[in-house]
Amino acid sequence: MRSIWNGAISFGLVSIPIKLVNATESHSIAFRQIHTEDNGRIRYRKVCELEEREVTQSEIGKAYEDADGTMIPITDEDLSHLPIPTARTIEIVAFVPADRIDPLQMGAAYYLAAGGAPAAKPYTLLREALKRSNKVAIAKYALRGRERLGMLRVVGEAIAMHGLLWPDEVRAPEGVAPDTAVTIRDKELDLADALMDTLGEVDLEDLHDEYREALEEVIAAKASGEAPPEAPAPAAGGKVLDLMAALENSVRAARESRGTADEEAEVRQLRRERAAPKETGGKKSTSTAKKTTAAKKAAPARKSTAKTGEGAAASKTTAKSTAAKRATAKNAEAKGTAKSTAAKKAAAKKTASRKRSA
C-alpha cells in the first residue's frame, strides 16, 4: 500500500519510524458530468483571474486570504518548518480505556507501517504493550496543514490510528431529541427487547452494498442496450397508529425470516395480557360490539336464489326429521304403556286364582 505520510511515533524516549497508509477504500461508483445533448464531457478548467488563462497543476500553490482580500502565499516548505513537535511525529500523550472515546469523535482510519528493519522491535513493543494494557493511545500529529488528534489501537498484528475530532468540534445534541412528553409502557419495552433478541447479531462480513450492486445492473443493462431492471414496489408507508401492533408484527416477521415461527406463543401471550380488561377496556369492547352488531344489521342480505332453495329444502328436511323423531317417541311410549297394562292384568288374575283355591 502506498504511504501518504512518513514520520515517527514518539513513545516517551522511544522513536519508531513509521509510514501512514489508508486503512479504508471506497467502492462507490463515480459519475462524470456530460453535455446531455451529445454526451460530451464537462470539465473544469483552472484559470488565473489576473492573466485570464488556464494554468497547469505545477503552477498552482496555496495561500491564505486575509480579511481585506490580500493573498498570503504558504509553501510546503513553510509547513514543514512549523514550530510544533508534531510536524513529522505522532506524539503519544496518554493511554486511556477504549470506552473513554466517544464514537462521534472518530474519523478516518489509517494503518501505521513500520519504517524499515530498525523499527521492527520498538513497533512490536508498542503493539504488545497496547494489547496487554487493554488501552488505546491518544496522540497528536500534523497532517494536511493542521494538527490533529488520533487514537492508536491494535488491529490483528498491526497498529491502526483513527483520526479524532477535537472535543470542541463535536456538537452537543441539543434540540435533537423530541420535546414531547411520552409514556413508554413495560409491554412496549418487552416487545422491543423481543425484537432485538430475534434480530440478534450479524456477521459484518455478510453485509454488502446493495445500492452499488443495483447500480451496476443498471449500467450493464444500458451498456448492452437493454431496458434497466424495474424497481421493486415501494413499501407501504403511513403513520404508525398502533405501536404495539407494529412491534408485534415486526417480531413475527423477524422470527419467520429466521425460521423461528415456533416462538409465536410468546407474542400471543403478550397480546392476551395487553387485551386484559381494564376500567375503560370493557367500555371499548361494548362499544365495538355495538358497532359490529349495527354493521351487521345495516349490511344488505345478499343471498342467491340457489341458496334460498337450498335453505328451504334444508328446512323441510329438518321438519320431516323432527316429525319422524316425535312419531317414534310416541310409538315407543304407547308400547311401553301397553306392556305395563298387560302386566298389571296378569298379576290381578294370578291373585284372584289364589284366593279361589284358598
Side-chain angles (χ1 to χ4, degrees):
M1 291 183 283
R2 185 175 64 87
S3 64
I4 61 172
W5 185 90
N6 295 335
I9 299 175
S10 175
F11 177 31
L13 297 179
V14 178
S15 180
I16 310 171
I18 57 95
K19 296 179 181 180
L20 194 70
V21 298
N22 286 316
T24 61
E25 59 185 1
S26 175
H27 293 160
S28 299
I29 296 176
F31 292 103
R32 302 292 188 185
Q33 290 186 327
I34 62 170
H35 186 203
T36 55
E37 292 186 4
D38 54 16
N39 291 347
R41 281 285 304 278
I42 301 297
R43 299 179 183 271
Y44 291 100
R45 303 184 185 277
K46 298 180 179 180
V47 177
C48 174
E49 293 182 349
L50 297 180
E51 298 183 11
E52 295 185 350
R53 70 175 182 87
E54 185 178 356
V55 296
T56 63
Q57 186 62 37
S58 61
E59 298 177 87
I60 299 175
K62 59 176 69 73
Y64 174 79
E65 184 176 4
D66 206 352
D68 59 358
T70 303
M71 295 294 179
I72 304 173
I74 301 294
T75 66
D76 291 338
E77 185 177 359
D78 295 331
L79 295 176
S80 64
H81 291 86
L82 289 175
I84 56 174
T86 56
R88 282 293 170 185
T89 304
I90 298 175
E91 181 184 7
I92 295 176
V93 296
F95 293 89
V96 300
D99 58 9
R100 286 271 304 276
I101 306 301
D102 189 338
L104 286 173
Q105 289 184 255
M106 299 179 66
Y110 308 94
Y111 287 131
L112 305 181
K121 186 167 184 176
Y123 183 98
T124 304
L125 171 64
L126 176 58
R127 182 191 67 200
E128 295 304 314
L130 287 172
K131 281 184 181 180
R132 190 165 71 172
S133 67
N134 290 322
K135 293 182 177 181
V136 297
I138 303 301
K140 296 170 68 176
Y141 65 101
L143 181 66
R144 299 190 180 98
R146 55 171 292 198
E147 188 174 58
R148 301 168 186 265
L149 196 62
M151 178 190 76
L152 277 63
R153 69 184 184 97
V154 177
V155 177
E157 296 301 313
I159 299 175
M161 182 174 71
H162 296 269
L164 298 179
L165 297 174
W166 296 97
D168 60 356
E169 292 180 315
V170 179
R171 293 179 175 179
E174 296 177 358
V176 177
D179 56 1
T180 304
V182 296
T183 301
I184 302 298
R185 295 177 292 173
D186 289 341
K187 291 178 182 177
E188 293 170 337
L189 283 175
D190 291 341
L191 278 171
D193 290 341
L195 179 57
M196 293 168 63
D197 292 339
T198 303
L199 293 176
E201 299 182 357
V202 65
D203 186 352
L204 295 181
E205 297 293 333
D206 295 335
L207 301 179
H208 57 279
D209 188 352
E210 295 182 6
Y211 179 87
R212 178 172 60 87
E213 292 177 355
L215 187 57
E216 289 174 347
E217 291 181 9
V218 171
I219 294 173
K222 298 201 73 172
S224 59
E226 301 175 359
E230 294 184 1
K239 297 181 179 179
V240 178
L241 300 179
D242 190 340
L243 181 58
M244 289 290 290
L247 286 170
E248 290 175 357
N249 291 336
S250 298
V251 172
R252 185 180 299 105
R255 285 175 175 164
E256 289 176 354
S257 66
R258 291 176 177 266
T260 55
D262 56 331
E263 298 179 10
E264 278 277 325
E266 183 179 347
V267 178
R268 291 177 181 171
Q269 179 64 27
L270 287 171
R271 187 185 294 112
R272 285 199 293 270
E273 291 176 2
R274 172 172 167 263
K278 296 183 179 179
E279 292 182 2
T280 58
K283 295 181 180 179
K284 290 183 179 178
S285 300
T286 304
S287 175
T288 304
K290 288 181 178 179
K291 290 180 180 179
T292 304
T293 304
K296 289 181 178 179
K297 290 181 179 180
R302 298 176 180 176
K303 296 183 178 179
S304 64
T305 305
K307 288 186 178 179
T308 303
E310 291 173 3
S315 298
K316 291 180 179 178
T317 303
T318 304
K320 289 181 179 179
S321 176
T322 303
K325 288 181 179 178
R326 287 178 180 175
T328 303
K330 286 182 179 180
N331 292 336
E333 184 179 355
K335 289 180 179 179
T337 303
K339 288 181 179 180
S340 177
T341 303
K344 287 180 180 180
K345 289 181 178 180
K349 286 182 178 181
K350 287 181 179 181
T351 303
S353 178
R354 288 174 185 174
K355 286 181 179 181
R356 281 196 297 269
S357 61

